[in-house]
Amino acid sequence: MPGIEARGCESKFWRYASPVLALLLTGATSGLIFAAMGRPPGLTVYTLLIAPLLQQDGFQALAVKAAPLIMMGAGLSVAYRANIWNIGTEGQFTLGAICGGGIALAFPDAPRLALFPAIAAGGVIGGMLNGGLVAWLRTRFNADEILTSLMFAYITQYLLVYLVTGPWRDPEGFGFPQTALFSGNALAPRLIEGTNVHIGVAIAPLIGLALWVMLEKSLLGFGFRVLGQAPRAARFAGFSENRLIWVAMLISGGLAGLAGVLEATGTLGQLTTALSPGYGFTAIIVAFLGRLSPIGVIPAGLLLALSYLGGDAAQINLGLPHAVTGIFQGILLFWLLGCDILLQNRIRWKAAR
């Protein structure tokens, strides 16, 4: 009979094999669920994970979808390595878009060279304000950052709804919950003219690389890693826990805000209630699938972005519900956490008595 036996140290093999096994199990489980729904399992999985890449401009759409996930996943990987559990990147994403979008609406005719940097800075500051408030509550009142960051995510979403249905609503938008379109000077620069491939596509992997260097090669990164593994040792070594909490929340919040403002100015061209399909929550899965490595979140972000594109294709071609994307992502997280038991444990077969 199978049993679980502690390894005594983490398995380097399973650290990288666990996500692969989780993905295979996710495909098999999803296939069974789709079969129970009366859909061909093989065709459905193919539609989710392969078909979007075969469409015209499929790789461009994938890169645009992946950019915000990679930015947020990289920031979260830093925070989580320090055991600082920022669950509210959805709110930081939204507040960044609100702050940057407000600047775009207020100064539509400002010169492009001044306007877009101001918009991007506004997005970063908005995300940092949200993250900083969570850090303040944690360091001042010892409030659980999981609860406070999640709470602010919902507050910020309602703030967006209020703005786009009230003071910022487009008077020529036929009553739809959206702002006026941003001016051309406020839009994110395009890497490929005539497409939605904006500057964020290039920035996202550079952010991942920069944060990996910081985390692995700098004293600050060493402080994050020590705090996550042995908080007492971090304090004994002279690292300020409160300072590290602030820095981690400002990094992860600022990057989420940048992702939000780039989504608003690079993909949508305005603010709407449909600003995010849940990128902030999906970024949590991206961080864990990437093994909490800012480099690892790059392929993880591409995979989760593919699930969004595949979910849209499954709705159109197979008549599956909108929830199919969330189902796939939830199953993936379930199996990833389950397979991670093999990091510290091995399966032993014992003879039955």
Side-chain angles (χ1 to χ4, degrees), residues 18 84 119 130 166 171 183 193 209 224 256 266 317 335 341 343-344 352:
S18 173
I84 301 165
I119 291 171
N130 189 310
S183 67
E193 290 298 328
L209 178 60
F224 285 134
N317 299 329
W335 280 120
I341 194 175
L343 291 174
Q344 301 289 349

Side-chain angles (χ1 to χ4, degrees), residues 38 51 56 71 126 139 158 163 180 192 195 228 242 246 256 258 290 301 313 320 322:
Q56 184 178 9
M71 290 182 198
T139 57
Y158 284 118
L163 291 173
I192 302 176
T195 72
N242 286 350
W246 271 97
L258 177 62
L320 286 169
H322 174 72

Side-chain angles (χ1 to χ4, degrees), residues 36-314:
M37 296 172 67
R39 304 298 196 280
L43 176 60
T44 306
V45 174
Y46 170 85
T47 302
L48 274 172
L49 298 179
I50 299 176
L53 299 178
L54 303 180
Q55 302 298 316
Q56 184 178 9
D57 300 330
F59 284 97
Q60 293 181 11
L62 178 65
V64 172
K65 278 286 188 190
L69 296 176
I70 293 171
M71 290 182 198
M72 289 188 285
L76 288 178
S77 67
V78 173
Y80 292 170
R81 287 283 288 274
N83 276 343
I84 301 165
W85 302 102
N86 180 9
I87 307 296
T89 45
E90 183 78 0
Q92 293 143 25
F93 177 95
T94 303
L95 189 57
I98 290 173
C99 292
I103 295 173
L105 294 171
F107 304 100
D109 299 323
R112 181 180 184 84
L113 290 179
L115 180 57
F116 182 74
I119 291 171
V124 172
I125 292 171
M128 292 175 73
L129 285 174
N130 189 310
L133 186 54
V134 173
W136 179 72
L137 290 172
R138 164 69 187 274
T139 57
R140 181 67 177 82
F141 300 104
N142 199 30
D144 191 316
E145 70 272 18
I146 295 176
L147 298 178
T148 55
S149 62
L150 185 60
M151 175 185 68
F152 287 131
Y154 290 103
I155 292 174
T156 308
Q157 179 61 36
Y158 284 118
L159 174 62
L160 175 65
V161 171
Y162 164 72
L163 291 173
V164 300
T165 58
W168 288 4
R169 184 172 62 181
D170 182 5
E172 300 179 359
F174 303 101
F176 286 101
Q178 62 190 30
T179 66
L181 291 173
F182 298 147
S183 67
N185 289 347
L187 297 179
R190 294 299 191 267
L191 298 181
I192 302 176
E193 290 298 328
T195 72
N196 281 337
V197 182
H198 55 78
I199 192 172
V201 172
I203 292 175
L206 295 178
I207 289 173
L209 178 60
L211 288 184
W212 178 85
V213 172
M214 182 275 292
L215 197 58
E216 300 295 334
K217 307 296 182 181
S218 73
L219 182 61
L220 177 61
F222 178 70
F224 285 134
R225 290 184 280 122
V226 174
L227 180 63
Q229 296 171 8
R232 290 185 179 179
R235 290 190 288 270
F236 181 78
F239 292 107
S240 169
E241 181 177 358
N242 286 350
R243 175 177 174 271
L244 291 173
I245 291 171
W246 271 97
V247 174
M249 287 302 305
L250 291 177
I251 289 174
S252 56
L255 288 177
L258 177 62
V261 77
L262 286 174
E263 183 71 11
T265 60
T267 303
L268 301 177
Q270 61 184 161
L271 295 177
T272 76
T273 54
L275 174 69
S276 169
Y279 285 145
F281 299 113
T282 302
I284 299 172
I285 305 177
V286 170
F288 280 102
L289 187 62
R291 316 315 294 162
L292 303 186
S293 166
I295 289 291
V297 302
I298 297 175
L302 290 168
L303 175 62
L304 270 297
L306 183 60
S307 73
Y308 279 112
L309 298 178
D312 292 341

